[in-house]
Amino acid sequence: MKNKTIAFITLPALLLICSFSISNANAETTNFVKTEESSISKQERRSEHSAKKSRKKFQKLYQKLNLTEQQQTQVKALFKEQKTARQTSGASRKSLSKSVRSLDLNAPDYAEKLAVVKQQAGRAARGKIDAMMAMQQSMQKILTAEQFQKLQTLKLDTHGKRDKHKN
């Protein structure tokens, strides 16, 4: 009698476990397909959101500095130039990083290779500083003295807010 009761109880439990595991496996495969499709749309949404956010940011800047239409188009062109320059420098930074990671500490010519990588890093840093100064000079040419001064104070305010969060 005990064996029949145990069999009577365990049989539905086994059927329930099997059906749950089959349905769970089906759900995992459909979730994989959904996440693959949704990851593409997430990237698109992120880029749209980023573009929208940067447009709002520039509109605020234009309003705070009270830029004319001509100044706005010049600043937009300048920022586009800066963006393409950043993208190209990003590729060079990646190659520099890859060359640093590929250095073999036990190689006999390690010191020479390290010196070459250091020179490349120095050139990249100088290039970044030169680009920053060129951007500042270009902005100074576009803006009036009052607008440029206001831009500098806005930058300081932004850096001050950023520093508050570090503490």
Side-chain angles (χ1 to χ4, degrees):
M1 182 75 174
K2 279 186 178 180
N3 289 340
K4 288 182 182 179
T5 308
I6 292 174
F8 185 70
I9 293 172
T10 56
L11 186 61
L14 286 174
L15 288 173
L16 183 66
I17 291 171
C18 289
S19 65
F20 177 73
S21 64
I22 290 171
S23 66
N24 194 20
N26 288 338
E28 285 179 6
T29 57
T30 57
N31 282 342
F32 176 73
V33 173
K34 285 181 182 177
T35 55
E36 189 175 306
E37 292 170 357
S38 65
S39 68
I40 294 169
S41 63
K42 279 183 182 179
Q43 282 180 329
E44 291 171 357
R45 280 185 276 152
R46 279 187 190 140
S47 65
E48 286 176 20
H49 178 72
S50 176
K52 192 177 190 180
K53 193 174 180 180
S54 65
R55 278 193 301 270
K56 281 185 176 181
K57 183 178 162 184
F58 289 129
Q59 286 299 324
K60 280 185 179 180
L61 180 68
Y62 299 155
Q63 288 173 353
K64 285 182 180 179
L65 295 178
N66 198 18
L67 298 180
T68 64
E69 289 294 324
Q70 183 183 10
Q71 286 176 324
Q72 287 181 19
T73 56
Q74 288 174 337
V75 169
K76 281 180 187 178
L78 187 62
F79 283 139
K80 280 185 181 181
E81 281 180 33
Q82 186 187 30
K83 183 178 180 181
T84 56
R86 263 196 326 263
Q87 288 171 344
T88 57
S89 69
S92 66
R93 276 194 315 271
K94 283 182 183 178
S95 66
L96 179 65
S97 173
K98 186 177 180 181
S99 63
V100 167
R101 280 185 264 126
S102 67
L103 286 175
D104 183 19
L105 297 173
N106 299 322
D109 60 343
Y110 170 75
E112 292 127 19
K113 287 184 179 180
L114 182 63
V116 169
V117 170
K118 283 181 178 180
Q119 288 175 351
Q120 290 173 345
R123 282 193 298 267
R126 282 190 297 277
K128 186 175 178 180
I129 291 171
D130 290 343
M132 214 167 54
M133 296 310 294
M135 176 70 172
Q136 193 170 16
Q137 288 173 348
S138 299
M139 286 295 285
Q140 198 167 14
K141 288 177 185 175
I142 295 171
L143 303 176
T144 64
E146 298 85 26
Q147 289 171 333
F148 188 74
Q149 186 63 35
K150 186 161 187 168
L151 178 66
Q152 297 301 325
T153 57
L154 288 173
K155 281 183 183 179
L156 289 175
D157 291 345
T158 304
H159 288 295
K161 288 179 185 176
R162 206 179 304 154
D163 290 340
K164 281 183 186 177
H165 296 290
K166 288 182 182 178
N167 293 332

